[in-house]
């Protein structure tokens, strides 16, 4: 397989895995009774990964090796772009559970809102 063809195939596989992760996460959130919906199939950043949770911008990553600072920076940038809430990075590896990464300040704000 030629190098260009291989890169195109890997890119499509990566997009498919990302989309599968978004659908999986939306379904998982729905299991908890949350009205989450996966965004557009191929939006290239024109729509959030997951919608339906007011006050939270979800950046979804389904990868084996995640650069958390870079992915969280994308979540922050996109939360400012879409004005849809505090940035939260939801991520998981194969055969592992979902994790959520947030800034401490946002987590404290969210936690305090439940104490009232």
């Amino acid at each position: 397989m030629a190098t260009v063809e291989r890169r195109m195939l890997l890119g499509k596989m990566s997009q498919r895995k990302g989309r599968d992760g978004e659908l999986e996460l939306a379904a998982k959130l729905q299991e908890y009774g949350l009205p989450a919906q996966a965004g557009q199939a191929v939006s290239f950043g024109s729509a959030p990964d997951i919608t339906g949770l007011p006050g939270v911008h979800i950046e979804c990553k389904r990868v084996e090796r995640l650069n958390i600072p870079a992915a969280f920076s994308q979540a922050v940038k996109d939360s400012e772009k879409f004005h849809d809430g505090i940035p939260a990075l939801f991520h998981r590896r194969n055969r592992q559970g979902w994790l959520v990464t947030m800034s401490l300040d946002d987590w404290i704000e969210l936690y305090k809102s439940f104490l009232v």
Side-chain angles (χ1 to χ4, degrees), residues 2-65:
T3 305
V4 172
E5 290 172 336
R6 179 173 165 72
R7 274 191 242 143
M8 288 176 61
L9 178 62
L10 291 175
K12 287 181 182 182
M13 289 171 50
S14 177
Q15 283 179 346
R16 188 169 346 136
K17 186 173 184 178
R19 178 62 178 167
D20 289 348
E22 293 167 3
L23 294 170
E24 176 189 334
L25 177 58
K28 183 59 121 175
L29 293 170
Q30 290 168 4
E31 287 176 16
Y32 286 99
L34 301 172
Q37 296 294 322
Q40 297 173 346
V42 183
S43 67
F44 299 108
S46 66
D49 292 346
I50 305 284
T51 61
L53 301 181
V56 179
H57 172 83
I58 296 177
E59 181 64 36
C60 178
K61 298 292 184 188
R62 177 76 171 73
V63 295
E64 288 303 298
R65 292 180 181 243

Side-chain angles (χ1 to χ4, degrees), residues 75-111:
V76 170
K77 181 177 125 196
D78 286 352
S79 74
E80 293 167 355
K81 174 181 175 181
F82 295 114
H83 304 287
D84 58 351
I86 59 175
L89 172 63
F90 286 65
H91 51 101
R92 91 171 186 88
R93 297 171 71 175
N94 290 337
R95 297 173 297 282
Q96 307 244 333
W98 284 97
L99 300 172
V100 181
T101 301
M102 301 174 66
S103 76
L104 177 60
D105 289 342
D106 287 339
W107 186 87
I108 294 292
E109 181 180 325
L110 189 63
Y111 183 76

